[in-house]
Amino acid sequence: MPTLAFKLNDHLYLRDPQHTQLGQKIIHSSMLLIDQLGFEQFTFKKLAEEIDSTEASIYRYFENKHRLLVYLIAWYWNWMEYRIEIFTSAVADPKEKLKTCLRILAEEKKYDPTFEFVNEEALHRIVIAELDKTYLTKGVDDLNKEGLFGGFKSVCGKIASLIHVINPNYPFAESLVSTVLITANQQLFFASHLPSLTSLEANESRFNRLYSFLENIVFCSINAENNYA
Amino acid sequence: MPTLAFKLNDHLYLRDPQHTQLGQKIIHSSMLLIDQLGFEQFTFKKLAEEIDSTEASIYRYFENKHRLLVYLIAWYWNWMEYRIEIFTSAVADPKEKLKTCLRILAEEKKYDPTFEFVNEEALHRIVIAELDKTYLTKGVDDLNKEGLFGGFKSVCGKIASLIHVINPNYPFAESLVSTVLITANQQLFFASHLPSLTSLEANESRFNRLYSFLENIVFCSINAENNYA
DNA sequence: ACAAATATAATAGTATTACTATCATTAATC
DNA sequence: GATTAATGATAGTAATACTATTATATTTGT
């Protein structure tokens, strides 16, 4: 059975992990391990033990653990873009398209059988807890030049262009979208760990509440009459 | 001459650095060094060399470098709260108060002579680049129990309560405020490093544009008729 | 089916990091 | 002037983030 694989920027890895068994084990197990331990406590040595391989072998796939994280999170944004594509292609009205995007971003992430070796629930927790660490580093500019944030930028750009269609006079489309993409994850983190910083609760309702919050922010801002240019 | 000092949560340090010469040198130089090197490359050893002291001496003030970062950023939020206090106390109208808060958050940070050994420009760059690392760690819950995020939570709570006064029916005050506090710094980071993710430009105008963006988001959201409960 | 190429495993080694411990010395305080 | 406390000097350790080397599988082309 043919497993779907994303074509990711090939600067993200040294050897493409999607195409070998060891590579797939690296992706699969690193997700679980980073989720469990957190990125700081995660090491290639621990991962090697987990998959009965060696540090040296893992280094043939990824230059270092930071790049592995960037890879995993790039995979996530590719997955988001793929889902947005699927669920908005049939929708004509740009406002409805935009709502669908927000729903996809806010919804609970569940196992997607399209991608065998990826545990989307663990990956989402990684995105929530580690996303910012991909770019909050002195090396951002180099990573960016290599195009490693392409997935995130692409999602951001597509949603921003919907906003441009809905209201060409709204002057903060890109900022609004990047804010929403990031806050969607951040608010879930706060709900779990710093509840006084969020209006969401740590129960099942939080995904619907999150959607309402995002919809409120986005539509109120772009529909407003008084656009501060 | 009496230097003003904040009363910070005493779990933030082992020995209060504000009250000794070495402590002040630690604060002063760690700010410059973290700003220069980034948090990952920053070490107590490098700091010790910088201030002609030793690693061991620094460890007597801070348990580890992460807690030092939490300290510096707690200082920042205390400073913000202090400025908000000063500049809003004379303002009666809650909407105007709220605008003043947003202005303080968005404005360019400049040296404040009230605090001798603090370089506010460097500190602001640290907040922009490292803020999220204070809570995105497996130890959040412990740090939170010790009250180490009190400054941030306090600023968030005060602004949220202004929103509650302005529109008691708006159901996302806390989320809106935490989003704004964080995005205020994030958008400046994007302007410098990932320009396609922001509508701000990397020039002098960015602080005014940032203010407009924040004002737009906040006031559009809370003034809207259709409140999604 | 066999040689050549390639991927992986096994092992070792290094510089740096994030500490901890000990003891001598200097400075502040009573 | 004696006691206490803060700092400096020095040493040491376990773990981390790699790099290098060689042997052994595994895959691939002919």
Side-chain angles (χ1 to χ4, degrees):
Chain A
M1 120 140 195
T3 305
L4 239 157
F6 289 127
K7 177 80 201 83
L8 297 172
N9 182 318
D10 54 9
H11 286 92
L12 282 165
Y13 46 77
L14 296 172
R15 208 201 289 314
D16 189 343
Q18 286 184 120
H19 293 343
T20 70
Q21 226 191 330
L22 180 62
Q24 292 181 12
K25 276 164 81 182
I26 290 173
I27 296 177
H28 179 78
S29 294
S30 66
M31 280 184 192
L32 302 180
L33 216 51
I34 293 175
D35 178 32
Q36 269 175 51
L37 305 176
F39 183 65
E40 279 71 29
Q41 306 309 315
F42 167 82
T43 68
F44 277 3
K45 197 178 183 189
K46 290 173 187 170
L47 175 58
E49 275 160 28
E50 191 73 20
I51 62 179
D52 280 309
S53 180
T54 63
E55 264 185 285
S57 298
I58 296 167
Y59 274 106
R60 289 203 193 86
Y61 283 84
F62 293 99
E63 237 175 287
N64 53 54
K65 71 170 183 169
H66 185 253
R67 292 219 168 204
L68 169 54
L69 179 67
V70 175
Y71 178 93
L72 297 180
I73 287 182
W75 197 97
Y76 175 84
W77 290 113
N78 253 70
W79 182 51
M80 283 296 102
E81 192 171 357
Y82 161 82
R83 290 179 68 79
I84 286 172
E85 203 63 53
I86 291 174
F87 292 104
T88 62
S89 62
V91 181
D93 178 37
K95 285 193 181 183
E96 282 307 314
K97 264 190 149 80
L98 180 53
K99 284 183 186 174
T100 302
C101 292
L102 297 180
R103 218 169 251 301
I104 290 167
L105 292 168
E107 78 190 345
E108 186 169 8
K109 304 304 185 292
K110 297 203 177 119
Y111 178 64
D112 184 339
T114 318
F115 308 98
E116 271 181 356
F117 48 90
V118 175
N119 179 330
E120 284 83 1
E121 294 165 46
L123 181 56
H124 189 216
R125 284 191 296 267
I126 291 174
V127 170
I128 289 171
E130 324 287 359
L131 166 64
D132 301 339
K133 296 172 193 169
T134 57
Y135 52 81
L136 293 180
T137 158
K138 280 284 165 184
V140 218
D141 297 332
D142 295 328
L143 299 177
N144 189 32
K145 262 178 215 143
E146 293 181 53
L148 305 196
F149 304 118
F152 186 70
K153 284 157 81 168
S154 178
V155 172
C156 188
K158 284 193 177 160
I159 300 177
S161 68
L162 281 177
I163 293 178
H164 286 134
V165 170
I166 296 168
N167 179 355
N169 294 319
Y170 180 70
F172 303 115
E174 293 76 16
S175 287
L176 183 63
V177 177
S178 62
T179 297
V180 162
L181 292 180
I182 288 168
T183 208
N185 293 308
Q186 210 133 40
Q187 292 294 318
L188 292 173
F189 184 88
F190 293 157
S192 299
H193 300 289
L194 296 160
S196 73
L197 297 178
T198 183
S199 312
L200 313 182
E201 272 150 51
N203 57 37
E204 286 309 307
S205 74
R206 66 192 190 279
F207 301 103
N208 284 322
R209 287 272 292 170
L210 175 60
Y211 172 74
S212 300
F213 173 56
L214 300 183
E215 186 186 288
N216 179 283
I217 282 191
V218 170
F219 281 89
C220 292
S221 297
I222 66 181
N223 287 333
E225 296 297 306
N226 52 330
N227 285 317
Y228 315 74
Chain B
M1 120 138 194
T3 306
L4 238 157
F6 290 126
K7 176 81 200 82
L8 297 172
N9 182 318
D10 54 11
H11 286 91
L12 282 165
Y13 46 78
L14 296 172
R15 210 203 287 313
D16 189 344
Q18 286 185 119
H19 293 343
T20 71
Q21 225 190 332
L22 179 61
Q24 293 180 11
K25 275 163 82 182
I26 290 173
I27 296 177
H28 179 79
S29 294
S30 65
M31 280 184 192
L32 302 180
L33 215 50
I34 293 175
D35 178 34
Q36 268 175 52
L37 304 175
F39 184 64
E40 280 70 30
Q41 308 307 314
F42 166 82
T43 69
F44 277 4
K45 196 176 183 189
K46 290 172 185 169
L47 176 57
E49 275 160 27
E50 191 73 20
I51 63 179
D52 281 306
S53 180
T54 62
E55 265 185 285
S57 297
I58 296 167
Y59 274 106
R60 290 201 190 88
Y61 283 84
F62 293 99
E63 237 175 286
N64 53 55
K65 72 171 182 168
H66 184 254
R67 293 219 168 204
L68 169 55
L69 179 66
V70 175
Y71 178 94
L72 296 180
I73 288 183
W75 197 98
Y76 175 85
W77 290 113
N78 253 71
W79 181 51
M80 284 295 102
E81 193 172 355
Y82 161 82
R83 289 179 69 79
I84 285 172
E85 204 64 53
I86 291 174
F87 293 105
T88 62
S89 62
V91 181
D93 179 35
K95 287 193 180 183
E96 282 307 315
K97 263 190 150 79
L98 180 52
K99 284 184 187 174
T100 303
C101 291
L102 296 180
R103 219 171 250 300
I104 290 167
L105 292 167
E107 79 190 345
E108 186 168 9
K109 305 302 182 295
K110 297 201 177 120
Y111 178 65
D112 183 339
T114 318
F115 308 98
E116 271 182 355
F117 48 90
V118 175
N119 179 329
E120 284 83 2
E121 294 165 46
L123 181 56
H124 189 216
R125 284 191 297 268
I126 292 174
V127 171
I128 289 171
E130 323 286 0
L131 167 62
D132 302 340
K133 297 172 192 169
T134 57
Y135 53 81
L136 294 180
T137 157
K138 280 284 165 183
V140 219
D141 298 331
D142 294 328
L143 298 177
N144 189 32
K145 262 178 217 142
E146 292 181 56
L148 305 195
F149 304 117
F152 185 69
K153 284 156 79 168
S154 178
V155 172
C156 188
K158 284 194 177 158
I159 300 177
S161 68
L162 281 177
I163 292 179
H164 286 134
V165 169
I166 297 169
N167 179 356
N169 295 319
Y170 179 71
F172 303 114
E174 293 76 16
S175 286
L176 182 64
V177 176
S178 62
T179 297
V180 162
L181 291 180
I182 289 168
T183 210
N185 293 307
Q186 211 134 40
Q187 293 294 317
L188 292 172
F189 185 88
F190 293 157
S192 299
H193 300 288
L194 296 160
S196 72
L197 298 178
T198 184
S199 312
L200 312 182
E201 271 151 51
N203 57 37
E204 286 309 307
S205 74
R206 67 192 189 278
F207 301 103
N208 285 323
R209 286 273 292 171
L210 176 59
Y211 172 75
S212 300
F213 173 57
L214 300 183
E215 186 185 288
N216 180 283
I217 281 192
V218 170
F219 281 88
C220 292
S221 297
I222 66 180
N223 287 333
E225 297 295 308
N226 53 330
N227 284 318
Y228 316 73

